[in-house]
Amino acid sequence: MDIRITAQSFDPSAECAAFMAGRADAGALVSFVGTCRNETAGRAVTRLTIDHYDGFTQKEIARLAGEVAERFAVADLLVIHRVGPIEPGEAIVLVAGLSTHRADAFEAVKVLMDYLKTDAPLWKKETGPDGARWIEPRAEDHARRAAAETST
Amino acid sequence: MRLVFLGKFGELAPESLHSPALPDGVRTLADLKGWIARQSPPLGRAMALTTTRVAVNQALVRDLSHPVAAGDEIAFLPPMSGG
């Protein structure tokens, strides 16, 4: 498992290529990339800033990824999450999974994303022309998190 | 002790709350939250208005009767919003 918290922008395609390099044992790579949108609910967003708790954030994401790795037959998992200031269009998060067959990698990546939305120690602040506001998980994020607990 | 305020709490916490001496009469996390609210009423209100999780020495603690010690690192976490 490779879990990284970074303040630098990253190239999701290059990271996926490196992640699957030499893994001829895996027949499936599934990746999800979350990017910074330039608007939320009709409000323009000019910058996203993500706060984290140094050390704890990485440890908690590794714990969540470990839970997912135990539930699904994945050969490996990769999580890269940005912190600090992020511009619209940039990647915020990459979650990727390698597995022998596609179903496990699809499920593992989906469930891990659902976990990250509500349980990763990260705090997002959106800034736009009308000011800044801290984001909290939406009801649907909690619903997905609860459903992810039981999905197989 | 070292206090860490994440997310919106970090914007409300005055510098003086970052590494205070263990205040007199503070023995538990509940005591500490009360003391923080007296030092900074806006921060106390923000912590009361939302689900605030607490980590002691980088481990989440649910029970606010958990003791606090002078060397502890105690973090206050608003609802998380990753991904």
PDB file of all heavy atoms in Angstrom, chain A residues 51-56 59 81 117-120 122-125 134-137, chain B residues 4-8 11 50 53 55 58-60 73 75 77-83:
ATOM      1  N   ASP A  51      -6.871  21.568   4.885  1.00  0.00           N
ATOM      2  CA  ASP A  51      -6.090  21.488   6.119  1.00  0.00           C
ATOM      3  C   ASP A  51      -5.958  20.010   6.489  1.00  0.00           C
ATOM      4  O   ASP A  51      -6.850  19.208   6.196  1.00  0.00           O
ATOM      5  CB  ASP A  51      -6.833  22.259   7.228  1.00  0.00           C
ATOM      6  CG  ASP A  51      -5.968  22.471   8.470  1.00  0.00           C
ATOM      7  OD1 ASP A  51      -4.733  22.325   8.384  1.00  0.00           O
ATOM      8  OD2 ASP A  51      -6.541  22.802   9.531  1.00  0.00           O
ATOM      9  N   HIS A  52      -4.851  19.657   7.119  1.00  0.00           N
ATOM     10  CA  HIS A  52      -4.676  18.283   7.588  1.00  0.00           C
ATOM     11  C   HIS A  52      -3.946  18.305   8.921  1.00  0.00           C
ATOM     12  O   HIS A  52      -3.430  19.345   9.339  1.00  0.00           O
ATOM     13  CB  HIS A  52      -3.919  17.449   6.546  1.00  0.00           C
ATOM     14  CG  HIS A  52      -2.440  17.700   6.511  1.00  0.00           C
ATOM     15  ND1 HIS A  52      -1.901  18.918   6.144  1.00  0.00           N
ATOM     16  CD2 HIS A  52      -1.377  16.915   6.817  1.00  0.00           C
ATOM     17  CE1 HIS A  52      -0.579  18.859   6.207  1.00  0.00           C
ATOM     18  NE2 HIS A  52      -0.242  17.655   6.621  1.00  0.00           N
ATOM     19  N   TYR A  53      -3.921  17.151   9.567  1.00  0.00           N
ATOM     20  CA  TYR A  53      -3.262  17.018  10.870  1.00  0.00           C
ATOM     21  C   TYR A  53      -2.041  16.150  10.625  1.00  0.00           C
ATOM     22  O   TYR A  53      -2.154  14.944  10.422  1.00  0.00           O
ATOM     23  CB  TYR A  53      -4.258  16.385  11.852  1.00  0.00           C
ATOM     24  CG  TYR A  53      -3.782  16.196  13.276  1.00  0.00           C
ATOM     25  CD1 TYR A  53      -2.612  16.791  13.763  1.00  0.00           C
ATOM     26  CD2 TYR A  53      -4.538  15.438  14.163  1.00  0.00           C
ATOM     27  CE1 TYR A  53      -2.216  16.613  15.072  1.00  0.00           C
ATOM     28  CE2 TYR A  53      -4.145  15.259  15.478  1.00  0.00           C
ATOM     29  CZ  TYR A  53      -2.975  15.837  15.922  1.00  0.00           C
ATOM     30  OH  TYR A  53      -2.581  15.656  17.222  1.00  0.00           O
ATOM     31  N   ASP A  54      -0.895  16.798  10.633  1.00  0.00           N
ATOM     32  CA  ASP A  54       0.339  16.153  10.223  1.00  0.00           C
ATOM     33  C   ASP A  54       0.567  14.841  10.988  1.00  0.00           C
ATOM     34  O   ASP A  54       0.522  14.828  12.207  1.00  0.00           O
ATOM     35  CB  ASP A  54       1.513  17.120  10.455  1.00  0.00           C
ATOM     36  CG  ASP A  54       2.685  16.819   9.562  1.00  0.00           C
ATOM     37  OD1 ASP A  54       2.486  16.157   8.535  1.00  0.00           O
ATOM     38  OD2 ASP A  54       3.801  17.233   9.897  1.00  0.00           O
ATOM     39  N   GLY A  55       0.820  13.777  10.269  1.00  0.00           N
ATOM     40  CA  GLY A  55       1.060  12.471  10.885  1.00  0.00           C
ATOM     41  C   GLY A  55      -0.232  11.697  11.066  1.00  0.00           C
ATOM     42  O   GLY A  55      -0.397  10.597  10.532  1.00  0.00           O
ATOM     43  N   PHE A  56      -1.172  12.295  11.751  1.00  0.00           N
ATOM     44  CA  PHE A  56      -2.453  11.635  12.040  1.00  0.00           C
ATOM     45  C   PHE A  56      -3.241  11.368  10.759  1.00  0.00           C
ATOM     46  O   PHE A  56      -3.825  10.295  10.587  1.00  0.00           O
ATOM     47  CB  PHE A  56      -3.254  12.525  12.987  1.00  0.00           C
ATOM     48  CG  PHE A  56      -4.571  11.960  13.423  1.00  0.00           C
ATOM     49  CD1 PHE A  56      -4.636  10.937  14.345  1.00  0.00           C
ATOM     50  CD2 PHE A  56      -5.754  12.468  12.912  1.00  0.00           C
ATOM     51  CE1 PHE A  56      -5.864  10.426  14.763  1.00  0.00           C
ATOM     52  CE2 PHE A  56      -6.980  11.968  13.318  1.00  0.00           C
ATOM     53  CZ  PHE A  56      -7.030  10.938  14.241  1.00  0.00           C
ATOM     54  N   LYS A  59      -1.851   8.417   8.903  1.00  0.00           N
ATOM     55  CA  LYS A  59      -2.086   7.188   9.677  1.00  0.00           C
ATOM     56  C   LYS A  59      -3.546   6.735   9.548  1.00  0.00           C
ATOM     57  O   LYS A  59      -3.827   5.555   9.361  1.00  0.00           O
ATOM     58  CB  LYS A  59      -1.744   7.484  11.146  1.00  0.00           C
ATOM     59  CG  LYS A  59      -1.676   6.282  12.030  1.00  0.00           C
ATOM     60  CD  LYS A  59      -1.232   6.671  13.442  1.00  0.00           C
ATOM     61  CE  LYS A  59      -2.330   7.431  14.168  1.00  0.00           C
ATOM     62  NZ  LYS A  59      -2.020   7.715  15.575  1.00  0.00           N
ATOM     63  N   HIS A  81      -3.328  12.166  -1.721  1.00  0.00           N
ATOM     64  CA  HIS A  81      -4.273  13.246  -1.399  1.00  0.00           C
ATOM     65  C   HIS A  81      -3.522  14.549  -1.238  1.00  0.00           C
ATOM     66  O   HIS A  81      -2.544  14.621  -0.505  1.00  0.00           O
ATOM     67  CB  HIS A  81      -5.038  12.924  -0.116  1.00  0.00           C
ATOM     68  CG  HIS A  81      -6.411  13.520  -0.089  1.00  0.00           C
ATOM     69  ND1 HIS A  81      -6.630  14.878  -0.183  1.00  0.00           N
ATOM     70  CD2 HIS A  81      -7.620  12.951   0.005  1.00  0.00           C
ATOM     71  CE1 HIS A  81      -7.935  15.107  -0.148  1.00  0.00           C
ATOM     72  NE2 HIS A  81      -8.571  13.958  -0.041  1.00  0.00           N
ATOM     73  N   LYS A 117     -14.417  10.357   2.208  1.00  0.00           N
ATOM     74  CA  LYS A 117     -15.302  11.526   2.230  1.00  0.00           C
ATOM     75  C   LYS A 117     -15.712  11.923   3.640  1.00  0.00           C
ATOM     76  O   LYS A 117     -15.888  13.103   3.933  1.00  0.00           O
ATOM     77  CB  LYS A 117     -16.569  11.236   1.404  1.00  0.00           C
ATOM     78  CG  LYS A 117     -16.365  11.462  -0.075  1.00  0.00           C
ATOM     79  CD  LYS A 117     -16.385  12.943  -0.365  1.00  0.00           C
ATOM     80  CE  LYS A 117     -16.162  13.245  -1.832  1.00  0.00           C
ATOM     81  NZ  LYS A 117     -15.965  14.691  -2.051  1.00  0.00           N
ATOM     82  N   THR A 118     -15.896  10.931   4.500  1.00  0.00           N
ATOM     83  CA  THR A 118     -16.401  11.260   5.843  1.00  0.00           C
ATOM     84  C   THR A 118     -15.390  11.007   6.951  1.00  0.00           C
ATOM     85  O   THR A 118     -15.502  11.579   8.023  1.00  0.00           O
ATOM     86  CB  THR A 118     -17.670  10.435   6.180  1.00  0.00           C
ATOM     87  OG1 THR A 118     -17.357   9.052   6.042  1.00  0.00           O
ATOM     88  CG2 THR A 118     -18.818  10.791   5.264  1.00  0.00           C
ATOM     89  N   ASP A 119     -14.389  10.146   6.704  1.00  0.00           N
ATOM     90  CA  ASP A 119     -13.522   9.712   7.805  1.00  0.00           C
ATOM     91  C   ASP A 119     -12.051  10.101   7.671  1.00  0.00           C
ATOM     92  O   ASP A 119     -11.274   9.828   8.580  1.00  0.00           O
ATOM     93  CB  ASP A 119     -13.598   8.182   7.969  1.00  0.00           C
ATOM     94  CG  ASP A 119     -14.942   7.741   8.531  1.00  0.00           C
ATOM     95  OD1 ASP A 119     -15.913   8.506   8.415  1.00  0.00           O
ATOM     96  OD2 ASP A 119     -15.014   6.628   9.084  1.00  0.00           O
ATOM     97  N   ALA A 120     -11.657  10.671   6.537  1.00  0.00           N
ATOM     98  CA  ALA A 120     -10.251  11.069   6.422  1.00  0.00           C
ATOM     99  C   ALA A 120     -10.077  12.418   7.120  1.00  0.00           C
ATOM    100  O   ALA A 120     -10.850  13.349   6.867  1.00  0.00           O
ATOM    101  CB  ALA A 120      -9.844  11.171   4.952  1.00  0.00           C
ATOM    102  N   LEU A 122      -9.273  15.451   7.022  1.00  0.00           N
ATOM    103  CA  LEU A 122      -8.954  16.515   6.069  1.00  0.00           C
ATOM    104  C   LEU A 122     -10.096  17.513   6.138  1.00  0.00           C
ATOM    105  O   LEU A 122     -11.253  17.121   6.335  1.00  0.00           O
ATOM    106  CB  LEU A 122      -8.841  15.943   4.651  1.00  0.00           C
ATOM    107  CG  LEU A 122      -7.665  14.992   4.413  1.00  0.00           C
ATOM    108  CD1 LEU A 122      -7.914  14.142   3.177  1.00  0.00           C
ATOM    109  CD2 LEU A 122      -6.364  15.767   4.277  1.00  0.00           C
ATOM    110  N   TRP A 123      -9.760  18.779   5.973  1.00  0.00           N
ATOM    111  CA  TRP A 123     -10.789  19.819   6.083  1.00  0.00           C
ATOM    112  C   TRP A 123     -10.648  20.774   4.903  1.00  0.00           C
ATOM    113  O   TRP A 123      -9.601  21.400   4.720  1.00  0.00           O
ATOM    114  CB  TRP A 123     -10.624  20.550   7.420  1.00  0.00           C
ATOM    115  CG  TRP A 123     -10.881  19.612   8.556  1.00  0.00           C
ATOM    116  CD1 TRP A 123     -12.094  19.339   9.119  1.00  0.00           C
ATOM    117  CD2 TRP A 123      -9.925  18.787   9.247  1.00  0.00           C
ATOM    118  NE1 TRP A 123     -11.944  18.399  10.112  1.00  0.00           N
ATOM    119  CE2 TRP A 123     -10.639  18.039  10.209  1.00  0.00           C
ATOM    120  CE3 TRP A 123      -8.531  18.599   9.133  1.00  0.00           C
ATOM    121  CZ2 TRP A 123     -10.003  17.140  11.060  1.00  0.00           C
ATOM    122  CZ3 TRP A 123      -7.908  17.699   9.976  1.00  0.00           C
ATOM    123  CH2 TRP A 123      -8.638  16.985  10.931  1.00  0.00           C
ATOM    124  N   LYS A 124     -11.736  20.856   4.125  1.00  0.00           N
ATOM    125  CA  LYS A 124     -11.720  21.640   2.885  1.00  0.00           C
ATOM    126  C   LYS A 124     -12.338  23.014   3.097  1.00  0.00           C
ATOM    127  O   LYS A 124     -13.428  23.127   3.669  1.00  0.00           O
ATOM    128  CB  LYS A 124     -12.589  20.957   1.841  1.00  0.00           C
ATOM    129  CG  LYS A 124     -11.924  19.883   1.036  1.00  0.00           C
ATOM    130  CD  LYS A 124     -12.925  19.370  -0.009  1.00  0.00           C
ATOM    131  CE  LYS A 124     -12.371  18.175  -0.748  1.00  0.00           C
ATOM    132  NZ  LYS A 124     -13.450  17.338  -1.270  1.00  0.00           N
ATOM    133  N   LYS A 125     -11.673  24.003   2.555  1.00  0.00           N
ATOM    134  CA  LYS A 125     -12.237  25.359   2.559  1.00  0.00           C
ATOM    135  C   LYS A 125     -12.286  25.863   1.125  1.00  0.00           C
ATOM    136  O   LYS A 125     -11.260  25.853   0.432  1.00  0.00           O
ATOM    137  CB  LYS A 125     -11.380  26.286   3.420  1.00  0.00           C
ATOM    138  CG  LYS A 125     -11.993  27.674   3.559  1.00  0.00           C
ATOM    139  CD  LYS A 125     -11.266  28.525   4.578  1.00  0.00           C
ATOM    140  CE  LYS A 125      -9.940  29.011   4.053  1.00  0.00           C
ATOM    141  NZ  LYS A 125      -9.369  30.062   4.939  1.00  0.00           N
ATOM    142  N   TRP A 134     -15.949  26.757   5.020  1.00  0.00           N
ATOM    143  CA  TRP A 134     -15.485  25.393   5.299  1.00  0.00           C
ATOM    144  C   TRP A 134     -16.572  24.420   4.881  1.00  0.00           C
ATOM    145  O   TRP A 134     -17.755  24.666   5.106  1.00  0.00           O
ATOM    146  CB  TRP A 134     -15.167  25.236   6.787  1.00  0.00           C
ATOM    147  CG  TRP A 134     -13.953  25.994   7.176  1.00  0.00           C
ATOM    148  CD1 TRP A 134     -13.912  27.260   7.685  1.00  0.00           C
ATOM    149  CD2 TRP A 134     -12.591  25.564   7.060  1.00  0.00           C
ATOM    150  NE1 TRP A 134     -12.601  27.634   7.894  1.00  0.00           N
ATOM    151  CE2 TRP A 134     -11.782  26.626   7.519  1.00  0.00           C
ATOM    152  CE3 TRP A 134     -11.973  24.391   6.615  1.00  0.00           C
ATOM    153  CZ2 TRP A 134     -10.386  26.526   7.544  1.00  0.00           C
ATOM    154  CZ3 TRP A 134     -10.600  24.306   6.637  1.00  0.00           C
ATOM    155  CH2 TRP A 134      -9.811  25.359   7.095  1.00  0.00           C
ATOM    156  N   ILE A 135     -16.148  23.309   4.292  1.00  0.00           N
ATOM    157  CA  ILE A 135     -17.077  22.295   3.787  1.00  0.00           C
ATOM    158  C   ILE A 135     -17.223  21.175   4.816  1.00  0.00           C
ATOM    159  O   ILE A 135     -16.237  20.745   5.399  1.00  0.00           O
ATOM    160  CB  ILE A 135     -16.520  21.665   2.485  1.00  0.00           C
ATOM    161  CG1 ILE A 135     -16.140  22.756   1.487  1.00  0.00           C
ATOM    162  CG2 ILE A 135     -17.502  20.685   1.880  1.00  0.00           C
ATOM    163  CD1 ILE A 135     -17.276  23.631   1.082  1.00  0.00           C
ATOM    164  N   GLU A 136     -18.452  20.721   5.008  1.00  0.00           N
ATOM    165  CA  GLU A 136     -18.681  19.558   5.866  1.00  0.00           C
ATOM    166  C   GLU A 136     -19.326  18.461   5.021  1.00  0.00           C
ATOM    167  O   GLU A 136     -19.948  18.755   3.996  1.00  0.00           O
ATOM    168  CB  GLU A 136     -19.560  19.924   7.055  1.00  0.00           C
ATOM    169  CG  GLU A 136     -18.883  20.973   7.923  1.00  0.00           C
ATOM    170  CD  GLU A 136     -19.430  21.073   9.330  1.00  0.00           C
ATOM    171  OE1 GLU A 136     -20.449  20.421   9.614  1.00  0.00           O
ATOM    172  OE2 GLU A 136     -18.828  21.801  10.124  1.00  0.00           O
ATOM    173  N   PRO A 137     -19.172  17.202   5.434  1.00  0.00           N
ATOM    174  CA  PRO A 137     -19.766  16.129   4.632  1.00  0.00           C
ATOM    175  C   PRO A 137     -21.266  16.346   4.469  1.00  0.00           C
ATOM    176  O   PRO A 137     -21.941  16.816   5.389  1.00  0.00           O
ATOM    177  CB  PRO A 137     -19.491  14.863   5.450  1.00  0.00           C
ATOM    178  CG  PRO A 137     -18.400  15.220   6.377  1.00  0.00           C
ATOM    179  CD  PRO A 137     -18.518  16.691   6.631  1.00  0.00           C
TER     180      PRO A 137
ATOM    181  N   VAL B   4      -3.986  21.397  19.251  1.00  0.00           N
ATOM    182  CA  VAL B   4      -4.054  21.521  17.796  1.00  0.00           C
ATOM    183  C   VAL B   4      -5.512  21.735  17.401  1.00  0.00           C
ATOM    184  O   VAL B   4      -6.383  20.957  17.794  1.00  0.00           O
ATOM    185  CB  VAL B   4      -3.512  20.236  17.109  1.00  0.00           C
ATOM    186  CG1 VAL B   4      -3.528  20.386  15.593  1.00  0.00           C
ATOM    187  CG2 VAL B   4      -2.100  19.914  17.598  1.00  0.00           C
ATOM    188  N   PHE B   5      -5.763  22.793  16.671  1.00  0.00           N
ATOM    189  CA  PHE B   5      -7.134  23.103  16.234  1.00  0.00           C
ATOM    190  C   PHE B   5      -7.173  23.009  14.716  1.00  0.00           C
ATOM    191  O   PHE B   5      -6.491  23.751  14.017  1.00  0.00           O
ATOM    192  CB  PHE B   5      -7.526  24.501  16.707  1.00  0.00           C
ATOM    193  CG  PHE B   5      -7.523  24.628  18.206  1.00  0.00           C
ATOM    194  CD1 PHE B   5      -6.411  25.120  18.877  1.00  0.00           C
ATOM    195  CD2 PHE B   5      -8.619  24.230  18.959  1.00  0.00           C
ATOM    196  CE1 PHE B   5      -6.392  25.212  20.257  1.00  0.00           C
ATOM    197  CE2 PHE B   5      -8.617  24.320  20.348  1.00  0.00           C
ATOM    198  CZ  PHE B   5      -7.499  24.810  20.995  1.00  0.00           C
ATOM    199  N   LEU B   6      -7.974  22.070  14.212  1.00  0.00           N
ATOM    200  CA  LEU B   6      -7.998  21.817  12.771  1.00  0.00           C
ATOM    201  C   LEU B   6      -9.155  22.544  12.096  1.00  0.00           C
ATOM    202  O   LEU B   6     -10.154  22.866  12.744  1.00  0.00           O
ATOM    203  CB  LEU B   6      -8.127  20.311  12.522  1.00  0.00           C
ATOM    204  CG  LEU B   6      -6.864  19.449  12.642  1.00  0.00           C
ATOM    205  CD1 LEU B   6      -5.676  20.086  11.916  1.00  0.00           C
ATOM    206  CD2 LEU B   6      -6.494  19.148  14.060  1.00  0.00           C
ATOM    207  N   GLY B   7      -9.008  22.703  10.781  1.00  0.00           N
ATOM    208  CA  GLY B   7     -10.079  23.265   9.962  1.00  0.00           C
ATOM    209  C   GLY B   7     -10.525  24.616  10.490  1.00  0.00           C
ATOM    210  O   GLY B   7      -9.705  25.462  10.848  1.00  0.00           O
ATOM    211  N   LYS B   8     -11.855  24.797  10.576  1.00  0.00           N
ATOM    212  CA  LYS B   8     -12.366  26.120  10.972  1.00  0.00           C
ATOM    213  C   LYS B   8     -11.978  26.471  12.402  1.00  0.00           C
ATOM    214  O   LYS B   8     -11.886  27.652  12.739  1.00  0.00           O
ATOM    215  CB  LYS B   8     -13.880  26.179  10.787  1.00  0.00           C
ATOM    216  CG  LYS B   8     -14.675  25.225  11.636  1.00  0.00           C
ATOM    217  CD  LYS B   8     -16.158  25.349  11.286  1.00  0.00           C
ATOM    218  CE  LYS B   8     -16.955  24.235  11.924  1.00  0.00           C
ATOM    219  NZ  LYS B   8     -18.332  24.199  11.406  1.00  0.00           N
ATOM    220  N   GLU B  11      -8.883  28.651  12.582  1.00  0.00           N
ATOM    221  CA  GLU B  11      -9.022  30.081  12.284  1.00  0.00           C
ATOM    222  C   GLU B  11      -9.530  30.853  13.490  1.00  0.00           C
ATOM    223  O   GLU B  11      -9.368  32.064  13.575  1.00  0.00           O
ATOM    224  CB  GLU B  11      -9.991  30.284  11.111  1.00  0.00           C
ATOM    225  CG  GLU B  11      -9.398  29.808   9.803  1.00  0.00           C
ATOM    226  CD  GLU B  11     -10.290  30.116   8.609  1.00  0.00           C
ATOM    227  OE1 GLU B  11     -11.493  30.375   8.807  1.00  0.00           O
ATOM    228  OE2 GLU B  11      -9.763  30.073   7.488  1.00  0.00           O
ATOM    229  N   THR B  50     -21.025  21.909  16.521  1.00  0.00           N
ATOM    230  CA  THR B  50     -20.815  20.872  15.525  1.00  0.00           C
ATOM    231  C   THR B  50     -20.317  19.609  16.216  1.00  0.00           C
ATOM    232  O   THR B  50     -20.119  19.586  17.428  1.00  0.00           O
ATOM    233  CB  THR B  50     -19.812  21.357  14.450  1.00  0.00           C
ATOM    234  OG1 THR B  50     -19.795  20.435  13.368  1.00  0.00           O
ATOM    235  CG2 THR B  50     -18.412  21.504  15.005  1.00  0.00           C
ATOM    236  N   ARG B  53     -14.580  15.978  17.202  1.00  0.00           N
ATOM    237  CA  ARG B  53     -13.850  14.793  17.663  1.00  0.00           C
ATOM    238  C   ARG B  53     -12.552  15.265  18.308  1.00  0.00           C
ATOM    239  O   ARG B  53     -12.010  16.311  17.962  1.00  0.00           O
ATOM    240  CB  ARG B  53     -13.569  13.856  16.489  1.00  0.00           C
ATOM    241  CG  ARG B  53     -14.836  13.097  16.088  1.00  0.00           C
ATOM    242  CD  ARG B  53     -14.563  11.993  15.090  1.00  0.00           C
ATOM    243  NE  ARG B  53     -15.039  12.375  13.771  1.00  0.00           N
ATOM    244  CZ  ARG B  53     -15.225  11.510  12.773  1.00  0.00           C
ATOM    245  NH1 ARG B  53     -14.963  10.233  12.932  1.00  0.00           N
ATOM    246  NH2 ARG B  53     -15.660  11.940  11.601  1.00  0.00           N
ATOM    247  N   ALA B  55      -8.602  14.082  19.595  1.00  0.00           N
ATOM    248  CA  ALA B  55      -7.517  13.098  19.553  1.00  0.00           C
ATOM    249  C   ALA B  55      -6.501  13.459  20.635  1.00  0.00           C
ATOM    250  O   ALA B  55      -6.120  14.622  20.772  1.00  0.00           O
ATOM    251  CB  ALA B  55      -6.846  13.089  18.185  1.00  0.00           C
ATOM    252  N   GLN B  58      -2.526  11.798  19.148  1.00  0.00           N
ATOM    253  CA  GLN B  58      -2.816  11.278  17.810  1.00  0.00           C
ATOM    254  C   GLN B  58      -3.675  10.014  17.806  1.00  0.00           C
ATOM    255  O   GLN B  58      -3.658   9.260  16.832  1.00  0.00           O
ATOM    256  CB  GLN B  58      -1.514  11.078  17.015  1.00  0.00           C
ATOM    257  CG  GLN B  58      -0.699  12.370  16.882  1.00  0.00           C
ATOM    258  CD  GLN B  58      -0.134  12.602  15.504  1.00  0.00           C
ATOM    259  OE1 GLN B  58      -0.003  11.686  14.705  1.00  0.00           O
ATOM    260  NE2 GLN B  58       0.184  13.850  15.189  1.00  0.00           N
ATOM    261  N   ALA B  59      -4.458   9.799  18.858  1.00  0.00           N
ATOM    262  CA  ALA B  59      -5.432   8.698  18.856  1.00  0.00           C
ATOM    263  C   ALA B  59      -6.794   9.277  19.243  1.00  0.00           C
ATOM    264  O   ALA B  59      -6.894  10.028  20.222  1.00  0.00           O
ATOM    265  CB  ALA B  59      -5.021   7.622  19.848  1.00  0.00           C
ATOM    266  N   LEU B  60      -7.832   8.935  18.458  1.00  0.00           N
ATOM    267  CA  LEU B  60      -9.166   9.463  18.750  1.00  0.00           C
ATOM    268  C   LEU B  60      -9.661   8.930  20.095  1.00  0.00           C
ATOM    269  O   LEU B  60      -9.492   7.749  20.401  1.00  0.00           O
ATOM    270  CB  LEU B  60     -10.151   9.069  17.648  1.00  0.00           C
ATOM    271  CG  LEU B  60      -9.970   9.780  16.306  1.00  0.00           C
ATOM    272  CD1 LEU B  60     -10.901   9.171  15.254  1.00  0.00           C
ATOM    273  CD2 LEU B  60     -10.231  11.280  16.428  1.00  0.00           C
ATOM    274  N   GLU B  73      -0.444  15.988  23.539  1.00  0.00           N
ATOM    275  CA  GLU B  73      -0.849  16.739  22.344  1.00  0.00           C
ATOM    276  C   GLU B  73      -2.330  16.427  22.141  1.00  0.00           C
ATOM    277  O   GLU B  73      -2.700  15.264  21.953  1.00  0.00           O
ATOM    278  CB  GLU B  73      -0.050  16.274  21.126  1.00  0.00           C
ATOM    279  CG  GLU B  73      -0.522  16.926  19.830  1.00  0.00           C
ATOM    280  CD  GLU B  73       0.300  16.500  18.624  1.00  0.00           C
ATOM    281  OE1 GLU B  73       1.510  16.796  18.596  1.00  0.00           O
ATOM    282  OE2 GLU B  73      -0.263  15.863  17.723  1.00  0.00           O
ATOM    283  N   ALA B  75      -5.845  17.302  20.059  1.00  0.00           N
ATOM    284  CA  ALA B  75      -6.332  17.940  18.832  1.00  0.00           C
ATOM    285  C   ALA B  75      -7.853  17.950  18.813  1.00  0.00           C
ATOM    286  O   ALA B  75      -8.495  16.988  19.239  1.00  0.00           O
ATOM    287  CB  ALA B  75      -5.796  17.188  17.615  1.00  0.00           C
ATOM    288  N   LEU B  77     -11.055  18.247  16.284  1.00  0.00           N
ATOM    289  CA  LEU B  77     -11.307  18.007  14.866  1.00  0.00           C
ATOM    290  C   LEU B  77     -12.769  18.288  14.525  1.00  0.00           C
ATOM    291  O   LEU B  77     -13.655  17.587  15.022  1.00  0.00           O
ATOM    292  CB  LEU B  77     -10.984  16.547  14.523  1.00  0.00           C
ATOM    293  CG  LEU B  77      -9.525  16.067  14.571  1.00  0.00           C
ATOM    294  CD1 LEU B  77      -8.953  16.069  15.976  1.00  0.00           C
ATOM    295  CD2 LEU B  77      -9.419  14.671  13.998  1.00  0.00           C
ATOM    296  N   PRO B  78     -13.038  19.251  13.675  1.00  0.00           N
ATOM    297  CA  PRO B  78     -14.415  19.435  13.190  1.00  0.00           C
ATOM    298  C   PRO B  78     -14.770  18.299  12.212  1.00  0.00           C
ATOM    299  O   PRO B  78     -13.902  17.491  11.878  1.00  0.00           O
ATOM    300  CB  PRO B  78     -14.380  20.795  12.489  1.00  0.00           C
ATOM    301  CG  PRO B  78     -12.948  21.067  12.184  1.00  0.00           C
ATOM    302  CD  PRO B  78     -12.111  20.244  13.127  1.00  0.00           C
ATOM    303  N   PRO B  79     -16.030  18.231  11.764  1.00  0.00           N
ATOM    304  CA  PRO B  79     -16.389  17.167  10.805  1.00  0.00           C
ATOM    305  C   PRO B  79     -15.435  17.178   9.604  1.00  0.00           C
ATOM    306  O   PRO B  79     -15.076  18.238   9.091  1.00  0.00           O
ATOM    307  CB  PRO B  79     -17.815  17.538  10.389  1.00  0.00           C
ATOM    308  CG  PRO B  79     -18.356  18.249  11.586  1.00  0.00           C
ATOM    309  CD  PRO B  79     -17.189  19.049  12.115  1.00  0.00           C
ATOM    310  N   MET B  80     -15.036  15.982   9.190  1.00  0.00           N
ATOM    311  CA  MET B  80     -13.998  15.854   8.166  1.00  0.00           C
ATOM    312  C   MET B  80     -14.605  15.950   6.770  1.00  0.00           C
ATOM    313  O   MET B  80     -15.753  15.578   6.553  1.00  0.00           O
ATOM    314  CB  MET B  80     -13.308  14.509   8.360  1.00  0.00           C
ATOM    315  CG  MET B  80     -12.667  14.400   9.745  1.00  0.00           C
ATOM    316  SD  MET B  80     -12.289  12.703  10.171  1.00  0.00           S
ATOM    317  CE  MET B  80     -11.573  12.905  11.820  1.00  0.00           C
ATOM    318  N   SER B  81     -13.813  16.434   5.831  1.00  0.00           N
ATOM    319  CA  SER B  81     -14.318  16.579   4.458  1.00  0.00           C
ATOM    320  C   SER B  81     -13.208  16.303   3.461  1.00  0.00           C
ATOM    321  O   SER B  81     -12.722  17.191   2.795  1.00  0.00           O
ATOM    322  CB  SER B  81     -14.903  17.983   4.253  1.00  0.00           C
ATOM    323  OG  SER B  81     -13.955  18.986   4.574  1.00  0.00           O
ATOM    324  N   GLY B  82     -12.818  15.034   3.393  1.00  0.00           N
ATOM    325  CA  GLY B  82     -11.764  14.652   2.449  1.00  0.00           C
ATOM    326  C   GLY B  82     -12.341  14.261   1.099  1.00  0.00           C
ATOM    327  O   GLY B  82     -13.512  14.466   0.821  1.00  0.00           O
ATOM    328  N   GLY B  83     -11.500  13.643   0.289  1.00  0.00           N
ATOM    329  CA  GLY B  83     -11.921  13.102  -1.000  1.00  0.00           C
ATOM    330  C   GLY B  83     -12.121  14.147  -2.059  1.00  0.00           C
ATOM    331  O   GLY B  83     -11.959  15.320  -1.837  1.00  0.00           O
TER     332      GLY B  83
END
